[in-house]
Amino acid sequence: NAGVMQNPRHLVRRRGQEARLRCSPMKGHSHVYWYRQLPEEGLKFMVYLQKENIIDESGMPKERFSAEFPKEGPSILRIQQVVRGDSAAYFCASSPPMTDTQYFGPGTRLTVL
Amino acid sequence: GESVGLHLPTLSVQEGDNSIINCAYSNSASDYFIWYKQESGKGPQFIIDIRSNMDKRQGQRVTVLLNKTVKHLSLQIAATQPGDSAVYFCAENIKGGSNYKLTFGKGTLLTVNP
């Protein structure tokens, strides 16, 4: 039973480029959460999605960031026109329907040069 | 290895000792709490959880205590081993409708000396 999968594990982008982070939830999990971990900080909630629906995006920056979880395929966190301040570890978590417990993937470490 | 935080509270114990990691939460509406372990370069790993209708829950070598009066959570690790060295986060669920998003504390770095 594979856990939450994230790829790439490491991503390097230059300022102004786009970053696409992918997350495949655990089998049977239809809820996906994205969190960001900046250096010297704990994890911060960004967005909560169910299949084809954004449930809560209150933690997402208003510009340049978007997320989707299509009917087929992984969840995608997209960052347009990256800036150095976007450098962080981005974690995806998944859970089955109607449960609180979230299981995390290994993260994608984004470095913006 | 990756540094999760340069100014984390730290706890250093000897192998075989018991460890107690503390966490204060701020929202009295929180009703679900989880402890996660994060090793360097990895994602948070679920350890144990507790709901607000309980004040104690035990797992294998771990116990979580919840004191709602003072909004305090603790994780006790029995017979701490070198493999327990990691950053430990408490997380709370502030439920709004059917939203299960988690709010994390800053974390505590546990170092186990052999």
Side-chain angles (χ1 to χ4, degrees):
Chain A
N1 183 16
V4 178
M5 310 281 283
Q6 288 188 250
N7 67 83
R9 294 292 309 278
H10 299 273
L11 182 61
V12 179
R13 285 287 179 265
R14 297 191 179 280
R15 280 179 296 170
Q17 292 184 319
E18 179 180 287
R20 279 182 179 246
L21 288 61
R22 286 175 289 278
C23 169
S24 296
M26 289 177 70
K27 188 176 181 180
H29 290 193
S30 57
H31 296 201
V32 166
Y33 303 79
W34 286 94
Y35 294 82
R36 178 166 64 178
Q37 187 173 40
L38 297 171
E40 302 182 36
E41 293 187 19
L43 282 79
K44 295 287 198 293
F45 168 79
M46 298 181 73
V47 61
Y48 164 36
L49 309 106
Q50 296 176 19
K51 285 283 189 182
E52 300 184 280
N53 281 307
I54 297 174
I55 307 302
D56 181 348
E57 57 182 346
S58 59
M60 290 273 273
K62 299 294 182 206
E63 298 177 350
R64 303 188 296 107
F65 285 71
S66 62
E68 63 177 11
F69 188 17
K71 187 176 180 181
E72 301 291 336
S75 175
I76 307 286
L77 179 67
R78 181 183 178 206
I79 311 172
Q80 295 178 288
Q81 299 174 328
V82 296
V83 300
R84 288 219 174 107
D86 298 332
S87 295
Y90 292 83
F91 291 97
C92 168
S94 73
S95 70
M98 303 301 291
T99 63
D100 309 78
T101 307
Q102 298 176 23
Y103 298 90
F104 282 81
T108 293
R109 279 147 185 85
L110 172 66
T111 301
V112 180
L113 301 177
Chain B
E2 177 185 75
S3 173
V4 174
L6 297 179
H7 302 293
L8 291 173
T10 58
L11 175 65
S12 183
V13 301
Q14 291 298 123
E15 182 178 359
D17 287 352
N18 296 333
S19 303
I20 299 176
I21 300 171
N22 297 302
C23 176
Y25 64 95
S26 57
N27 195 323
S28 56
S30 296
D31 59 0
Y32 178 61
F33 305 88
I34 310 177
W35 279 101
Y36 285 96
K37 171 187 179 183
Q38 188 177 27
E39 296 174 277
S40 182
K42 297 184 179 179
Q45 175 189 353
F46 173 90
I47 301 174
I48 192 168
D49 59 1
I50 189 168
R51 298 200 178 274
S52 58
N53 61 351
M54 303 171 68
D55 51 23
K56 181 179 180 179
R57 190 160 188 229
Q58 288 184 289
Q60 191 171 24
R61 278 203 310 121
V62 295
T63 301
V64 55
L65 299 176
L66 175 63
N67 185 330
K68 295 181 287 293
T69 303
V70 295
K71 295 202 279 289
H72 183 268
L73 196 66
S74 68
L75 176 71
Q76 300 177 1
I77 305 174
T80 314
Q81 303 167 0
D84 295 327
S85 294
V87 177
Y88 289 80
F89 292 97
C90 65
E92 60 187 294
N93 175 274
I94 304 172
K95 190 177 290 187
S98 60
N99 192 337
Y100 300 99
K101 67 182 180 185
L102 295 173
T103 297
F104 280 79
K106 282 193 79 102
T108 297
L109 174 62
L110 174 66
T111 301
V112 182
N113 302 308

